[in-house]
Every structure is written in C-alpha cells, then in structure tokens.
Amino acid sequence: MSKYSFMMSSAEKLEESVLSSFKEKVINLADDLEEKEISDLDPQYFNFVQSDLQAAEKTGYSNYSYWGSTLRMFFKNKMGITTFTILTILIAFALIQPFLPNQKSPTLIHNNPVTGIQFRNQPPLTRQGEFYFLFGTNAIGQDLWARIWSGTRTSLRIGFTVATVNVALGILIGMLWGYVRKLDFLFTELYNIINNIPNVLILIMVSFIMRPSVNTIIFAMCIYGWVGVSRLIRNLTIILRDREFNLASRCLGTGVMKTIFRNLLPHMVSIVTLNFALSIPGAIGSEVFLSIIGLGLNVTIPSLGTLLSTGRNIMMAPALRYQLIFPVIVLSIISVSFYLMGNAFADSADPRNHV
C-alpha cells in the first residue's frame, strides 16, 4: 500500500468516526427538544459537508520564491541598483568598444605623416590632422583611450576567471571538508601548507618561473585563492551539518552530494555571492601588483596593471599625470562598484531580510 493510499484510508476512518459521533450528539439533542422546536429548525444546518483532501492541501500553498524575493529586495536597494547599472554600462562598453567606428588599435604606434615622428605624450583632447586622441597618447605614440579599454577587458577577464575558479573550488572543497569527517585531516593539512606560504611569494615564484601571460597570472592566483573561501564554507557547513533537516535527509538515505547542494548550499548563497564579487577586484589588484614589481604581463598586452605601472613611473611630471589618472579612475570604479554591489546582493540574498 502506498503512502498516499494509507493517508486516504486513515482520513476516511477519521471522517467516519467524526460523523458517527456527530450523529449521536444530534440524536441526543433531538430527544431533549420538543417536536415543535424540531420542526422550526432549518434543515440546511443538518447537511453534512463533504471533505476534500486535495482542496485541504491547497490551503498550505505559498507563492514565495527565494530568487524572486532576492531580486525584488536587490532592486529596491538604491546603492545596489546604481552600482549594478554603472558596472553593466562599463563592462558593455568595454566589450563593444573595438567595434565602434573610428577606434584605433591599442598596440599601434601613431606617427606624424609629415615628419614621421611619433605622437609622443600628446595631452587629452588633442587633434593632430586626421588623428584625434581623446585620452592622449603615451611615450611611444599609442592611443591611451584604446589601451585603457583593452586593458579593462584583459583585467576583467582575469578577475572573472579567477573569481569563478576560486569560488567553485572553495565551495566544493569547503563543503567536503566540513561535511565528510574522514576528509577533515587531509584538507586541514592542505590548508595549513598553502596558508602558511605568503601569497605574494606564490605570485612572484609562479610569474618568475613561467612565461608572463594572462594564463600564468590566472594559474598563480588560483593556487591560493580558494583557501579563504573553503575555510569559510567549511565553518558554515559544520554549523549546519547536524541540523534537524539534514539528520532527516540522512535517515531517508539522501546521498552526500545531494545533501550538500540541496540542503546546505542554499543557506550560503549570500556568503558565496559576496566572496565572488570581492574576488574580482582582488584579482585585478594582484595583477596590478605584479605589473608594478615587473612580473606582470608583457608591455605589448594592455592591462590596467601595465597602465598603472607606466603611469607611476612618470607621475612626478605634472603634464604626464593623465597617463596615471585615467587608469586609476577606471580601476576605482570597478573595485568600488563590485564591493558595493556585492554587499547589497548579499543582504538581499539573506532570507532573514525577506518579507
């Protein structure tokens, strides 16, 4: 007999017992009344109401949606929606900028067609014949406008890739670390080994040994970036591991991976999104650091790190400070916007803030 059939039979037995008890009370009441009083009663009060289990189940229906409520809360946050709009516009423009008309190559050196001399260190809003430099040029005549947007694309690629890998590894390792007790020793020792090596040393050693490239920087940051996320997820998993709903799932035979991703992960959405949002500017900052110490990308590959490194070397010349100011403005907008948007979305994803 299925569970549903058993519930139906139990409900029918309960209904019969209630009806029989009600009938006895009506008969006893009728015995105490006079015939005239009985004839004056409205017969409709003695009609039995039919029960419907399916209709009773509908009374417990709720149209609550976690993600729907999260998005409604996020779009009510003025700071969150403002930073989201700014980031969307900036990222979209960085992607479509090469396809706009009259755009220059970020690596092309522009020479004066008459004299053959490079347009070196031209200030912003400069027009030289048919050439127009909105952000000016650098020391070898390359268009700074094109280099900034190309560098933004490169840095965002590094940031998104590193953040995705680190958060994914951090969630997987952290949940196995906290949920499967047999793996606690293995992951604890692995955490102690990586965490006790300075992150700067790992970045410098990998960048020095391998050929400087975007993939090298991504690999170096992914070696240690997952450690902090995994420890945070591990601590949260230990807190939630022995809650009643997880004990019930284990008693019903639910597998480990299903319990992790269905029971535990939804409770950590706010923490995961916040770490993802903060990992992007963190990865860009590490790329900037490597470029400043001379172990970043090749100068032929524009990035915010290489632009800031070049601008730092000439910042003492007032006429050339624009080569540092423009990359700093773009990097500041990206970092601050991701931080504010991440905090706003984390607050919105917390079920305690839902109505």
Side-chain angles (χ1 to χ4, degrees):
M1 181 183 294
S2 63
K3 294 182 179 180
Y4 183 76
S5 301
F6 176 75
M7 292 173 60
M8 290 292 292
S9 61
S10 301
E12 291 174 356
K13 292 179 181 179
L14 179 62
E15 182 181 0
E16 291 177 359
S17 62
V18 171
L19 289 177
S20 61
S21 176
F22 181 72
K23 289 179 181 179
E24 292 179 0
K25 291 183 179 180
V26 170
I27 294 173
N28 295 333
L29 179 63
D31 293 339
D32 297 335
L33 296 175
E34 297 180 0
E35 292 184 1
K36 185 176 181 305
E37 293 176 342
I38 295 175
S39 61
D40 292 339
L41 295 176
D42 192 345
Q44 68 176 355
Y45 294 127
F46 297 93
N47 294 331
F48 294 103
V49 178
Q50 298 297 324
S51 62
D52 188 352
L53 289 179
Q54 294 182 352
E57 290 292 333
K58 292 181 180 180
T59 59
Y61 170 76
S62 173
N63 61 351
Y64 171 79
S65 171
Y66 172 76
W67 287 111
S69 181
T70 298
L71 292 177
R72 284 193 298 270
M73 291 291 295
F74 177 74
F75 286 109
K76 288 180 181 179
N77 190 313
K78 294 182 180 179
M79 183 60 68
I81 194 62
T82 301
T83 53
F84 175 77
T85 304
I86 293 173
L87 277 176
T88 302
I89 294 173
L90 188 145
I91 295 173
F93 185 80
L95 294 176
I96 67 174
Q97 182 268 334
F99 306 102
L100 297 176
N102 301 323
Q103 298 299 312
K104 303 176 182 66
S105 172
T107 57
L108 180 63
I109 298 175
H110 300 279
N111 298 324
N112 191 321
V114 178
T115 62
I117 301 175
Q118 299 169 347
F119 289 120
R120 298 177 179 177
N121 298 324
Q122 296 294 318
L125 305 177
T126 297
R127 179 177 294 277
Q128 296 287 350
E130 61 180 3
F131 297 101
Y132 180 71
F133 304 107
L134 183 61
F135 282 0
T137 61
N138 61 7
I140 59 175
Q142 294 174 324
D143 183 36
L144 197 59
W145 165 269
R147 289 184 65 80
I148 284 177
W149 292 115
S150 177
T152 301
R153 291 191 295 273
T154 303
S155 297
L156 286 175
R157 174 191 167 189
I158 294 173
F160 275 104
T161 305
V162 171
T164 302
V165 173
N166 288 340
V167 170
L169 283 176
I171 291 173
L172 180 61
I173 294 176
M175 287 194 168
L176 291 175
W177 186 6
Y179 191 83
V180 182
R181 290 179 171 86
K182 295 180 180 179
L183 299 177
D184 183 71
F185 176 78
L186 173 63
F187 286 127
T188 300
E189 295 303 318
L190 181 63
Y191 170 82
N192 290 332
I193 293 173
I194 298 178
N195 192 56
N196 287 323
I197 301 175
N199 300 338
V200 176
L201 183 60
I202 295 176
L203 281 173
I204 293 175
M205 290 298 296
V206 174
S207 300
F208 183 77
I209 294 171
M210 301 176 67
R211 183 175 61 89
S213 65
V214 174
N215 293 331
T216 298
I217 292 179
I218 292 174
F219 176 74
M221 295 181 189
C222 292
I223 292 177
Y224 66 88
W226 58 270
V227 173
V229 181
S230 64
R231 179 172 182 178
L232 178 62
I233 297 297
R234 180 246 185 188
N235 294 337
L236 294 174
T237 302
I238 291 176
I239 294 173
L240 299 172
R241 180 178 60 193
D242 296 325
R243 295 283 179 88
E244 290 81 0
F245 56 89
N246 280 322
L247 295 176
S249 295
R250 289 203 293 269
C251 290
L252 293 174
T254 306
V256 174
M257 299 306 294
K258 188 174 182 180
T259 301
I260 288 175
F261 288 102
R262 295 289 296 274
N263 291 5
L264 299 178
L265 187 58
H267 291 269
M268 306 176 190
V269 171
S270 59
I271 304 297
V272 171
T273 53
L274 180 60
N275 274 273
F276 181 82
L278 297 182
S279 296
I280 296 174
I284 296 175
S286 298
E287 184 264 327
V288 171
F289 168 75
L290 288 176
S291 299
I292 290 176
I293 65 176
L295 295 175
L297 298 175
N298 194 290
V299 292
T300 59
I301 304 175
S303 71
L304 293 178
T306 56
L307 292 171
L308 287 172
S309 177
T310 303
R312 183 182 65 90
N313 296 328
I314 58 177
M315 65 179 296
M316 300 308 296
L320 303 179
R321 286 176 182 169
Y322 66 90
Q323 298 186 30
L324 177 65
I325 292 174
F326 289 126
V328 166
I329 291 175
V330 175
L331 180 60
S332 300
I333 292 174
I334 293 174
S335 300
V336 174
S337 297
F338 269 113
Y339 174 76
L340 295 177
M341 188 187 70
N343 279 282
F345 191 84
D347 292 338
S348 302
D350 191 345
R352 292 173 296 182
N353 295 330
H354 294 186
V355 178

